[in-house]
Amino acid sequence: MKNNLPTMTKRRKFLKGIASTSLFGAVQGVTAESSSDNTVQPLGAGGAGNDKKLPVYADGRLVTHYRPDTSHEDRYILERKFESADLAERYGDPIFRYKDQILPKERVPEAVQERRKTTYTFQTKKIIGTEVENRNAEERIREQQSGEFELQDQAEIDGNVPLYHYDPDADGDQQSRSSPLNLAWEAEDSQSIKQNMENAPFGEAWHPGPITMLPQARVEKTVNLPNGGTKETDKHVMKWISDITCDAETKQWHVRLYDVPAGGITVVGQAHRDPCLHGKVRDNENIDWKIDAARDKVADFWSQESGISSETISVGNTATSTDFASHTGDWKYFDDD
């Protein structure tokens, strides 16, 4: 039985400013730089001393600290900061501080709950910059794509759609680049997308698990809007994955949605799969977020439940670190006519 969702008809158009994934290597060669220690910089990033107004690919350590929430006995407050000499060189301050998160105890390591440990530290690299630098990076990626290639018989995305979402600095105007976006709609808003996915027939509907349904368990990120300014996540859509091997019920497909004024695009999204022990595993570099698989999961829902097909397009925001290696740079694009 099909859900009564609005219909769209797929169209084929001229592709403006977007190159195929197979050409990523050539684009990376133009965009990447080498830092003083001869490490290759990801797309749209530079070393601490770069003069191209790009964010910094900073080497440092991520420090996570848990403390009990004195206002609620079953919750903890997670404090995170990234410390790097590269940030000190670039911005005069070695610390990027993430916004505090309120966590239910189910998402806190057992060692913390048992008061055996409160702080975890590990070496990692982050792409961090001001809003202006991150805008420059996204524009540079788009220009490299559009300046090299024009392809026909592909879907079209007009306007400067956001390419990534970010974790904002709790103390300043810097942003830490997070996962690449991978979904775009032309005829929906975030509320209608959420309603359609949650109101589908039993078995197909998207609903969070008993832990992630709690508002405090959700982390808001931001996108840089094409007309200036930033905005936080508008809606979350989650589909819980039952798994008897998980001792915390957090394994799920997860989509963050953002209403954006980007030419004909009304909504962009970032889809991934949250793992077992989400929140308990502090070293995110070892997590496979299955970004492409999550994108396809969303596309399958719209095709099966509403007959709305999608186009696969390459936007150029190929994974810029090992954190998000499961993203190829391809989006699913839902057109309206």
Side-chain angles (χ1 to χ4, degrees):
M1 178 177 178
K2 296 296 183 183
N3 197 26
N4 294 324
L5 304 183
T7 59
M8 295 183 192
T9 302
K10 184 176 81 170
R11 65 178 175 181
R12 308 293 294 181
K13 275 191 165 185
F14 182 76
L15 180 62
K16 296 181 179 178
I18 299 171
S20 68
T21 305
S22 62
L23 300 172
F24 165 63
V27 176
Q28 185 184 39
V30 175
T31 309
E33 300 175 358
S34 294
S35 63
S36 58
D37 61 358
N38 295 320
T39 59
V40 176
Q41 306 295 340
L43 287 172
N50 84 82
D51 59 358
K52 299 177 181 178
K53 298 181 179 178
L54 293 174
V56 177
Y57 187 42
D59 188 9
R61 66 174 191 167
L62 183 64
V63 181
T64 62
H65 176 75
Y66 296 86
R67 58 182 173 86
D69 184 350
T70 57
S71 66
H72 199 295
E73 63 179 7
D74 291 329
R75 296 177 185 171
Y76 288 78
I77 295 175
L78 173 63
E79 302 171 342
R80 293 192 304 154
K81 61 181 179 179
F82 177 69
E83 301 175 341
S84 171
D86 294 326
L87 297 184
E89 178 182 344
R90 182 74 169 182
Y91 306 109
D93 186 345
I95 297 176
F96 178 95
R97 196 176 304 278
Y98 294 83
K99 290 185 177 181
D100 291 350
Q101 298 176 31
I102 299 176
L103 299 178
K105 67 179 183 180
E106 292 84 357
R107 292 187 65 185
V108 174
E110 291 181 2
V112 174
Q113 297 184 49
E114 297 170 358
R115 300 183 179 181
R116 292 185 286 110
K117 191 170 185 177
T118 59
T119 303
Y120 294 78
T121 301
F122 65 92
Q123 290 296 123
T124 187
K125 292 184 177 181
K126 298 290 183 181
I127 301 174
I128 292 176
T130 64
E131 179 186 334
V132 170
E133 288 173 333
N134 284 315
R135 287 182 181 279
N136 290 341
E138 292 194 20
E139 181 60 27
R140 181 169 180 149
I141 293 170
R142 283 189 290 262
E143 287 178 353
Q144 292 292 346
Q145 296 285 335
S146 62
E148 293 290 330
F149 310 102
E150 288 184 341
L151 303 178
Q152 293 184 348
D153 194 31
Q154 295 283 343
E156 175 185 9
I157 286 186
D158 288 321
N160 295 331
V161 295
L163 300 184
Y164 304 92
H165 61 189
Y166 301 86
D167 291 298
D169 188 346
D171 296 334
D173 64 349
Q174 295 172 354
Q175 302 169 325
S176 176
R177 186 188 295 180
S178 187
S179 44
L181 303 179
N182 57 354
L183 297 166
W185 282 264
E186 189 175 287
E188 302 285 324
D189 59 33
S190 62
Q191 179 63 27
S192 64
I193 292 170
K194 180 179 175 70
Q195 288 178 339
N196 288 336
M197 297 182 75
E198 293 182 344
N199 293 333
F202 179 77
E204 300 300 327
W206 284 52
H207 295 294
I211 293 177
T212 53
M213 68 184 298
L214 302 173
Q216 66 268 19
R218 303 174 185 179
V219 177
E220 311 299 341
K221 296 182 184 287
T222 63
V223 294
N224 295 325
L225 296 174
N227 59 353
T230 65
K231 73 177 309 182
E232 283 192 343
T233 308
D234 284 296
K235 300 294 178 183
H236 294 259
V237 186
M238 293 166 279
K239 186 176 180 66
W240 179 48
I241 303 170
S242 179
D243 189 335
I244 61 173
T245 65
C246 292
D247 66 354
E249 299 175 21
T250 56
K251 189 174 182 180
Q252 63 179 3
W253 301 106
H254 184 189
V255 184
R256 287 184 176 89
L257 298 171
Y258 302 87
D259 295 309
V260 296
I265 299 301
T266 56
V267 179
V268 293
Q270 201 293 312
H272 60 279
R273 194 192 73 179
D274 292 326
C276 288
L277 307 178
H278 190 30
K280 291 188 176 181
V281 181
R282 295 270 43 97
D283 186 352
N284 287 350
E285 289 186 336
N286 292 327
I287 295 175
D288 181 359
W289 297 101
K290 296 191 178 296
I291 295 175
D292 281 357
R295 172 206 66 200
D296 293 342
K297 186 76 173 178
V298 174
D300 288 345
F301 169 86
W302 286 95
S303 175
Q304 295 169 7
E305 295 305 314
S306 67
I308 298 173
S309 57
S310 60
E311 299 277 1
T312 300
I313 59 176
S314 178
V315 179
N317 63 335
T318 310
T320 56
S321 72
T322 56
D323 291 20
F324 311 116
S326 57
H327 177 61
T328 61
D330 288 346
W331 291 32
K332 288 295 185 180
Y333 168 55
F334 304 92
D335 204 347
D336 69 338
D337 58 34

